Amino acid sequence: MGGDILSGFFEGFLTKSTIFIDKKVLQTSYRPQEIIHREQEVKQIAQILAPALKGEKPSNVFIYGKTGTGKTLTTNYTTNHLKMVSEEKNTKLNIIYTNCKLKRTADTEYRLVAQLLSELGKPVPATGLPTETLYRLFFSIVEHQPNPTILILDEIDYLVSKVGDGILYNFTRMHETTNAAVSIVGISNDVTFVETLDPRVRSSLSEEELIFAPYNALQIQDILRRRSALAFKEGAVEHGVVEKCAAYAAREHGDARRALELLRVAGEIADRNGQPSITHQHIDSAENKIDRDRIYDTVVAHPKQYHMVLFAIFSLNSNNNQTIFTGDVYTIYKKLCDNSHLRPLTQRRISDILNEFDMQGIITAKIISKGRYGRTREISMEIPDETKQRLKTFLSTELGK
DNA sequence: CCTCCACCGGAACGTGAGGAGT
DNA sequence: ACTCCTCACGTTCCGGTGGAGG
């Protein structure tokens, strides 16, 4: 049977004690009943959107603040209430929420409009039709709504950076050319985003503006306490742990999401070690683990060419500890490709790949000038040694050498 | 102070896989 | 069968540039 290996494992797993009551409470998808430290913002959003209940088109709103400052949570909380009230009063309000960063869902013009249509109960093929057709369909539906439609575009900066601001122009201009009443709630992490927009789009998108300031350490503590009371058994969080989590998160920029993740992972580590409570050390290990796993996972998910490039960087990095430049990487990369009969990509493409690595935190690349000897990127790897080793073994088995 | 390297990065375009409509 | 869509992933072409060395 071979059951020896597993003998009692699952049984043990089931009876094994855990410090969690409900892990979901700590996950990003969790929506708390009440939100704290954002009362002001809730009120403001409510005030702006309330006219929709009377059938008037609310102003467009632009919301920005760094990650983990509660933008999405607060917006959804408010619009959900709005929806409830409108249903009680029998005025049908269309409120559509979309995260523009969701791959293959709303990250292009076509897909965004397609997504909106399916939310309105009018599914449309994932490809094949002209985008123009989708727009017409969308307009015609919205136009015949008795009440305004509220469009919440989360991570709107991502969408615009990919497809340009023409898409926003189409939406904001919509009620001028048709009878369609559509209000846009744009949410962005990037504070400078609005400045990159076409002036016409900018002024109509940010008829109202809301800034979400980072939480301070005390506020994060409050949030963590609320959640951990629901997530963990009593006494499972040792004294000072919440404070430490909050301090770590506030050190960056008051990212509540990160604080919650830290606490969750710390809990998982404590659980796995069979310990009855979370200690300071667990927070530290959690912080390490989160970084390590993130980098490793993104690399593994990359396609083969990316692995080649990274492998080239690795061999340069371990050979000698001198600084690495784009040209060096490309030469080694080409050599590696020849060896394994892989068609090498152009340097232009490699340049983009290096950029991606940089943004993902896998490498650190700085554009420098070597004067007479040109401009280039200076590449270094500032990731934990353990992660480096794991990646090296992964790459060499994957690329067969 | 000027030059000129070695690359950066924007823009336009090509290809091939998904699919719609007629 | 044919034309026309989107979209991911590349390539081609090319103007732009910080600063060491003349």
Side-chain angles (χ1 to χ4, degrees), chain A residues 195-252:
Chain A
E195 289 155 27
T196 67
L197 292 173
D198 181 299
R200 288 169 299 183
V201 176
R202 186 195 313 177
S203 63
S204 61
L205 178 64
S206 45
E207 286 169 344
E208 301 278 352
E209 264 181 52
L210 237 68
I211 302 166
F212 277 58
Y215 296 111
N216 62 37
L218 288 178
Q219 293 172 328
I220 292 189
Q221 283 179 29
D222 279 347
I223 294 168
L224 289 175
R225 286 211 186 82
R226 286 258 180 142
R227 300 267 191 123
S228 58
L230 297 171
F232 296 113
K233 288 178 182 163
E234 197 153 348
V237 182
E238 286 195 3
H239 185 71
V241 163
V242 162
E243 285 78 358
K244 183 162 187 175
C245 262
Y248 273 23
R251 192 180 53 191
E252 293 293 326

Side-chain angles (χ1 to χ4, degrees), chain A residues 65-271:
Chain A
K66 301 228 171 99
T67 40
T69 50
K71 301 181 297 294
T72 306
L73 203 63
T74 306
T75 310
N76 280 333
Y77 174 85
T78 313
T79 53
N80 280 344
H81 271 253
L82 184 62
K83 213 178 221 167
M84 273 164 46
V85 173
S86 82
E87 270 158 23
E88 279 168 23
K89 301 250 191 278
N90 254 339
T91 52
K92 196 168 156 279
L93 267 188
N94 280 315
I95 301 177
I96 308 175
Y97 170 87
T98 324
N99 186 330
C100 304
K101 210 169 183 172
L102 284 183
K103 284 265 171 221
R104 290 163 208 282
T105 303
D107 55 349
T108 69
E109 189 171 18
Y110 183 94
R111 299 217 259 240
L112 174 65
V113 186
Q115 168 74 12
L116 300 180
L117 282 168
S118 83
E119 294 277 341
L120 290 171
K122 187 87 184 166
V124 101
T127 169
L129 300 175
T131 311
E132 193 53 39
T133 311
L134 299 207
Y135 270 115
R136 271 206 297 276
L137 239 177
F138 181 74
F139 288 159
S140 73
I141 292 178
V142 165
E143 211 170 1
H144 295 108
Q145 301 285 331
N147 290 302
T149 300
I150 296 174
L151 218 58
I152 304 161
L153 303 178
D154 205 346
E155 316 241 27
I156 194 174
D157 47 334
Y158 178 81
L159 181 71
V160 170
S161 74
K162 252 194 96 178
V163 302
D165 54 12
I167 185 168
L168 294 181
Y169 187 68
N170 287 342
F171 280 119
T172 53
R173 211 188 43 163
M174 187 181 319
H175 79 284
E176 293 164 16
T177 54
T178 68
N179 285 325
V182 177
S183 300
I184 297 181
V185 178
I187 305 180
S188 160
N189 301 319
D190 183 2
V191 182
T192 63
F193 159 74
V194 83
E195 289 155 27
T196 67
L197 292 173
D198 181 299
R200 288 169 299 183
V201 176
R202 186 195 313 177
S203 63
S204 61
L205 178 64
S206 45
E207 286 169 344
E208 301 278 352
E209 264 181 52
L210 237 68
I211 302 166
F212 277 58
Y215 296 111
N216 62 37
L218 288 178
Q219 293 172 328
I220 292 189
Q221 283 179 29
D222 279 347
I223 294 168
L224 289 175
R225 286 211 186 82
R226 286 258 180 142
R227 300 267 191 123
S228 58
L230 297 171
F232 296 113
K233 288 178 182 163
E234 197 153 348
V237 182
E238 286 195 3
H239 185 71
V241 163
V242 162
E243 285 78 358
K244 183 162 187 175
C245 262
Y248 273 23
R251 192 180 53 191
E252 293 293 326
H253 57 257
D255 185 343
R257 188 185 308 170
R258 183 161 173 86
L260 289 164
E261 189 186 14
L262 215 51
L263 199 58
R264 195 198 75 230
V265 173
E268 284 165 0
I269 293 173
D271 244 14

